[in-house]
Amino acid sequence: MPARQIPKPRARRQAPEARPYHHGDLRRVLIDAALQLAAEGADVSVREAARRAAVSPGAPFRHFPNRDALMAAVAEEAQRRFRAEIETTLADARPAGPLARFRAFGIAYVRWAMRNPAHFEIISTGRYFAHGSSAELTRDNAELVVLTERMLAEAAAQGLLRSTDLKRILIAGRALIYGFARMNLDGHFPRWGVGEGEIERMAEEVIDLFIAGIAKS
Amino acid sequence: MPARQIPKPRARRQAPEARPYHHGDLRRVLIDAALQLAAEGADVSVREAARRAAVSPGAPFRHFPNRDALMAAVAEEAQRRFRAEIETTLADARPAGPLARFRAFGIAYVRWAMRNPAHFEIISTGRYFAHGSSAELTRDNAELVVLTERMLAEAAAQGLLRSTDLKRILIAGRALIYGFARMNLDGHFPRWGVGEGEIERMAEEVIDLFIAGIAKS
DNA sequence: TTCAATATGTAATCGTTGATTACATTCCCG
DNA sequence: CGGGAATGTAATCAACGATTACATATTGAA
């Protein structure tokens, strides 16, 4: 047998009992651990993420200059998932007409925020945009803005809107949707007499009210 | 002179150089220090509040069982100021008609949130409601809800509204206003092409759009 | 008035966290 | 090969929330 057998990338020499000195892809694992921590409602600490990755407390700082950089990467990943689900939802149930699409967008937005509250919080806060603000995060977000912009432009082109001030409508619509999602996240609804089970239906009603308000006749 | 002169409450015996062992009203001072810390954008720590009150790091825990209790008291105070300013504003510029009052409410709401971002954040988050949730905090908030409820009920009674689903309108309106305030707080507007100076005008436009949407004819 | 119970402050200490530094191990490319 | 570059560990630091034992002031009842 020639000596040149496959380099065998140190194939997890777990011979005695030791893990390999180098972790496979620590960066990714840390981000996943942080996402999971957030999803569990725990507060995300660098050390706990390191602990879950079975790595020393200092190791994460080889991949992120500080905690905020880790959180920025977490926000990036969460934003990516958020955008992906919104777009998938819109692609699946392809609603007829721009306003129906706008409605579907708003509902999908609120639903994701309800089902992933901690991740939505991380995305929303903007605390992790300022720092690294990795182009990707900004881009994923801008894509969603463009998405709704197009819906409204199309609606205007079809003469469905009472007003042509699209920017105003766009921001009002986003404020409504974002505000609704955050009211839920921030625990306002119990104080408003909206029970846990009614929230999704209320979201639909509220969005419908808005659309009825901007639609012609 | 009779021996019965006024008890003179130990009148700050700063005779040599020492402050009195007991602080005057440490609880109040700690809350104020925490409010100031928040307003400065620093993160609020019990120790720093103690430092500003010139008191040992353990002293605050005589008045608050833990940090969250301090933050709850801070939220309570901020909420009190918030409500006071809203009501004062509405009382001063008494707008004609329920919808004009609703408009003024929304604008005052957003303005306070813009000028007191850190305090608004503390109020909004609801993280400090859950714990002590002092009745006062809840009450101040409920008062503001009732305020807007009455406006809409009055508008409905005067036949100004297209729909009579007041709860839906109420929540939609609140979501819009809260969402707008939080979009600003969370730093979304730069990404939406809304400059710092335009935000207040945009708030008015957005509220007007909403009112036009719910108003009859 | 006195004095003892209570309220309120200090000092010392603990465990956790973010962060840095010096050192160890592995990877990879010339 | 062999020597940097990448990536991990170990040790350490300061700041923070929290607790405990102790010190001092306030207050109300005998």
Side-chain angles (χ1 to χ4, degrees), chain A residues 19-20 23-34 37 46-56 59-60:
Chain A
R19 296 165 297 113
H23 200 288
D25 185 357
L26 183 53
R27 182 189 161 86
R28 161 62 46 182
V29 172
L30 287 171
I31 293 173
D32 287 346
L37 275 173
V46 176
R47 291 178 100 95
E48 182 61 27
R51 222 168 275 132
R52 299 214 173 177
V55 100
S56 81

Side-chain angles (χ1 to χ4, degrees), chain B residues 30 33-34 37 42-51 60 67 70-71:
Chain B
L30 287 172
L37 274 173
D43 37 287
V44 182
S45 80
V46 176
R47 292 179 101 95
E48 182 60 26
R51 221 169 275 132
R67 179 181 183 276
L70 168 60
M71 294 309 291

